[in-house]
Amino acid sequence: MSEQVVAPRIRGFISLTAHPEGCAANVRGQIEVARAAAEGAPALGPALVIGSSTGYGLASLLSACFGYGAPSVGVCLERPSEDDKPGSAGWYNLAEAHRIAAAEGRTLRTVNADAFSSEAKEQVAAELRAMRGQVELLVYSLAAPLRRDAATDEVWRSTLKPIGRDWTGKSIDLRRNRVTEATIEAANEDEIEATVKVMGGEDWAEWLRWLGAEGLLADNCRSVAYSYVGPEATHAIYRAGTIGRAKEDLEATARDLHAQLAPGGGGVWVSINKGIVTQASAAIPGVALYMSVLFAVMKAQGTHEGPIEQIARMMRDHLGPGVTPVTDDEGRIRLDDLEMTPEVQSEVARRMAAIDTDSLGELSDYAGWQRYFQQLFGFGLEGIDYDAPTEVHRLLV
Ligand code: NAD
């Protein structure tokens, strides 16, 4: 037991602390949305989510487990609470998900280990065997800064850089809340290759191959990984940059693997998702500004969605039991359809061209972006008494 008052300590796109009760409230809110969206839907067999503790992966885990009743295993890399030392936000998210699952008699297990390691795969296999289950849904939602090769110990680091020439564009200085010009130098070939190694499709394919070889993949398994396309304003830094190269590799992997699972009634897809505030997306230069403007425009049009709304829609319309995925010409699921409408994008482009520090509040929802960012770490939520001590030592029961 260790009760403490936990205060926010946010530095740019890093938060040094996380509030256990705030994170728990976030998770309860997402579970409510997941349940409502899947009401009456048929149950899903075992689900495995790689990158299950925050962002799109957490939403996927909650949707599978609480919406579709899937016995679920998640893999993540989080800092547990230890003695009187607080844990990370992802840890607290999963502590609450585990608590509710246990209270409702649901099966939810977490493997807190490096997803690129063979130990993580062995632990997942043990959990699946204990469930006597074969995976029917595999969600690959890693956003990792680095990958250590399981065999050679070689380390690759992903970078967020343009390719071909340096990028200069509008960005938000998150420490000073100012619109600035940021410049990022172009990546070299090694950086491009390393980013593809970390964020491309190789490890996803390895998980599918390995589960198949272990007899842990259902014939009708559906697998999805997440990608992003986005508008012209972010192209140089995202889609045409190092991360975009990795996403092209991820999408090529899906096309290759799809043919292998399709005969059994399953399949492999990439879902192009909407931009949302997560630890991973906050680190991409220029993206916080674009998202702040995007949220203002989408909220005004009543089409704004967060991670759980996106994933609930993906399951309902594309990947839930008995539903046939609808894809674009390249075989991709498009959850970014509402973000990418010409009406939204032309208004976003107009505002992006005009925006500066003075007009930040008027032309964008930067205040909303900041609120979402704090909420990732359990801060700024209604109904939480932030002055009260809270138990920071929480277990994944
Ligand atoms: P996130 O930072 O919220 O989540 C990353 C997850 O990966 C966490 O669960 C973390 O614990 C886990 N992780 C990181 N390294 C790991 C490791 N070595 N081993 C095990 N687990 C590890 O990220 P997110 O924004 O939800 O991104 C998830 C995916 O969705 C990414 O592929 C991202 O490109 C994609 N995506 C994100 C957005 C967006 O706007 N955030 C939009 C479209 C697609």
Side-chain angles (χ1 to χ4, degrees), residues 153-282:
D153 246 15
E154 188 179 350
V155 172
W156 295 281
R157 286 174 201 283
S158 69
T159 51
L160 294 161
K161 289 191 172 184
I163 293 176
R165 59 185 160 124
D166 298 356
W167 169 81
T168 297
K170 284 185 186 177
S171 193
I172 298 184
D173 178 338
L174 297 171
R175 287 172 181 251
R176 292 178 190 78
N177 303 323
R178 296 183 62 80
V179 177
T180 55
E181 284 242 302
T183 298
I184 302 173
E185 64 172 30
N188 61 37
E189 282 305 317
D190 287 348
E191 288 170 322
I192 298 170
E193 194 192 324
T195 306
V196 172
K197 269 281 185 195
V198 181
M199 290 296 288
E202 191 177 68
D203 182 60
W204 182 24
E206 179 55 24
W207 271 97
L208 279 163
R209 189 203 61 73
W210 185 82
L211 288 166
E214 294 288 311
L216 292 168
L217 205 61
D219 286 344
N220 63 350
C221 176
R222 291 175 163 199
S223 186
V224 66
Y226 300 134
S227 181
Y228 185 65
V229 172
E232 204 54 45
T234 62
H235 266 196
I237 197 70
Y238 197 97
R239 194 66 199 185
T242 48
I243 183 70
R245 260 321 151 78
K247 294 301 184 188
E248 281 170 14
D249 184 72
L250 194 75
E251 290 166 29
T253 301
R255 287 191 291 273
D256 288 350
L257 296 174
H258 187 73
Q260 294 174 26
L261 283 180
V268 180
W269 293 271
V270 157
S271 173
I272 310 285
N273 294 358
K274 168 185 184 289
I276 55 159
V277 183
T278 64
Q279 180 75 82
S281 72

Side-chain angles (χ1 to χ4, degrees), residues 104-174:
E104 295 178 356
R106 296 175 191 273
T107 302
L108 172 57
R109 310 292 300 162
T110 292
V111 171
N112 190 31
D114 180 4
F116 298 111
S117 70
S118 25
E119 291 77 21
K121 293 190 176 73
E122 294 297 342
Q123 286 181 47
V124 165
E127 296 294 355
L128 289 169
R129 292 207 170 95
M131 286 177 189
R132 301 182 190 289
Q134 287 183 312
V135 174
E136 288 186 15
L137 176 70
L138 170 63
V139 177
Y140 190 82
S141 186
L142 271 197
L146 60 84
R147 170 178 177 183
R148 188 179 295 278
D149 188 285
T152 64
D153 246 15
E154 188 179 350
V155 172
W156 295 281
R157 286 174 201 283
S158 69
T159 51
L160 294 161
K161 289 191 172 184
I163 293 176
R165 59 185 160 124
D166 298 356
W167 169 81
T168 297
K170 284 185 186 177
S171 193
I172 298 184
D173 178 338
L174 297 171

